[in-house]
Amino acid sequence: MGQHDNGPLGPAPGAAADPGDDGELAALALKILVAGGFGVGKTTLVGAVSEIRPLRTEELLSEAGELVDDTGGVDQKTTTTVAMDFGRITIRSGLSLYLFGTPGQDRFWFLWDELSQGALGAVVLADTRRLEDCFPAVDYFEHRRIPFVVAVNCFTDARRYGAHEVSRALDLDQGTPVVLCDARDKDSGKEVLIRLVEYAGRVHTARLLDSVEPQADSV
């Protein structure tokens, strides 16, 4: 169901200088997006794994918003992200991730292009009760050739499906990882991020090799 266009050569995708709170510089800081449908757990995931107090831009749901936001299946949700969530996690010494949670509603998708600039990759959170809600995020990242993993947030009242079943239902490109997770659990969220960094690293390395092979053949 995904649709399958990046910039000139420059710094490695997702790399950024990390100023640090105490003046120390991290060797490498990578930008990661956390995307998905409305109410799927993006803010929860960023908050669970972030080692700093996460920046949140949430507002209370209004009656006007109910006219445009589909709240079916997330009836207990009372707030919504209107710009982004931001957090930071250190994977290991010298490697930190900056996490940017994207807004889930259609009317805020104009922010995605700004947030995706320089991103190493993305996590697409999925809820099997509303699996169709993550189609736009899958299409967005496939179209822009941004590596991503699909992380199925295992809600307690949701039917359980295997990774292969979810991959087939979303018609993912072969090799796109699907992982099961609990967005509330720090260790579970960290495993998702490690899986993404490993996958995105392989994708970007393969693309770099593809770009230099023709030049080597012509020498």
Side-chain angles (χ1 to χ4, degrees):
M1 172 117 359
Q3 301 173 6
H4 298 292
D5 346 345
N6 239 323
L9 294 177
D18 182 358
D21 295 331
D22 55 4
E24 294 183 1
L25 294 178
L28 187 62
L30 304 174
K31 182 179 182 181
I32 301 296
L33 301 186
V34 180
F38 177 65
V40 77
K42 299 180 296 295
T43 298
T44 300
L45 177 64
V46 173
V49 301
S50 180
E51 62 197 20
I52 62 173
R53 183 176 180 179
L55 169 66
R56 293 173 174 169
T57 54
E58 290 194 314
E59 295 291 344
L60 290 173
L61 289 172
S62 64
E63 292 183 4
E66 291 178 358
L67 299 177
V68 290
D69 295 329
D70 178 12
T71 58
V74 286
D75 301 335
Q76 303 303 314
K77 186 171 175 61
T78 60
T79 61
T80 182
T81 299
V82 295
M84 69 175 185
D85 299 312
F86 173 78
R88 185 187 71 198
I89 179 174
T90 300
I91 296 296
R92 57 171 172 75
S93 178
L95 176 59
S96 298
L97 304 182
Y98 287 164
L99 309 177
F100 293 82
T102 65
Q105 305 94 311
D106 297 12
R107 66 184 186 279
F108 294 126
W109 282 351
F110 67 92
L111 294 170
W112 284 34
D113 287 340
E114 292 294 331
L115 291 175
S116 65
Q117 291 294 321
L120 174 77
V123 174
V124 176
L125 271 175
D127 178 353
T128 57
R129 300 168 303 178
R130 296 155 55 99
L131 196 58
E132 68 280 0
D133 287 0
C134 68
F135 281 146
V138 169
D139 286 345
Y140 182 91
F141 295 124
E142 284 186 345
H143 185 66
R144 287 160 180 79
R145 302 184 69 219
I146 296 175
F148 66 94
V149 301
V150 173
V152 180
N153 193 6
C154 298
F155 290 90
T156 55
D157 59 343
R159 181 178 174 183
R160 298 300 176 95
Y161 294 91
H164 179 71
E165 293 175 287
V166 174
S167 178
R168 186 171 55 187
L170 294 175
D171 194 20
L172 298 176
D173 289 342
Q174 186 175 6
T176 301
V178 176
V179 295
L180 308 182
C181 74
D182 182 344
R184 303 166 299 179
D185 183 77
K186 180 176 182 178
D187 290 337
S188 181
K190 187 174 180 178
E191 285 301 317
V192 171
L193 296 173
I194 291 173
R195 185 76 175 272
L196 170 62
V197 170
E198 292 174 343
Y199 173 64
R202 293 195 299 270
V203 171
H204 288 300
T205 298
R207 290 175 182 171
L208 180 60
L209 291 175
D210 286 344
S211 69
V212 300
E213 280 181 358
Q215 300 177 24
D217 292 341
S218 62
V219 174

